[in-house]
Amino acid sequence: GVPVVGADSAAIPDAVIPGENGYLFNTDDCEAMAGYLVRILTDNTLKEKLKAGALSSAAEHSLEKSTEKLLSVYQSVISG
């Protein structure tokens, strides 16, 4: 997994859980973005934690998991 430092806009907050798989910054706050990047690059313990969280998050959004969730929705609709 790769930690994410993303803008707090559009769909990015749907994928980034701050402190678990990365960090979010306000779109007009470049200093916060730079601070998060420096923190991740210089703190190996934090980097490893975020990498593990990113891998776990990615597994939750795999093709297999997404297909299972979609099938579950279809089945509930069909069942009424």
Side-chain angles (χ1 to χ4, degrees):
V2 177
V4 175
V5 175
D8 189 7
S9 66
I12 296 170
D14 294 339
V16 179
I17 303 165
E20 288 189 32
N21 63 0
Y23 290 103
L24 296 169
F25 63 92
N26 291 327
T27 55
D28 60 349
D29 192 352
C30 293
E31 288 182 17
M33 178 188 68
Y36 288 135
L37 291 170
V38 168
R39 195 167 159 209
I40 292 168
L41 292 171
T42 59
D43 184 337
N44 285 330
T45 302
L46 175 64
K47 182 179 4 180
E48 292 304 316
K49 175 188 171 198
L50 295 175
K51 285 171 64 175
L55 189 58
S56 176
S57 294
E60 285 300 312
H61 299 288
S62 70
L63 179 60
E64 183 179 344
K65 289 277 186 179
S66 296
T67 302
E68 288 173 6
K69 290 176 187 175
L70 184 59
L71 285 174
S72 175
V73 170
Y74 285 162
Q75 288 171 344
S76 68
V77 170
I78 291 169
S79 301

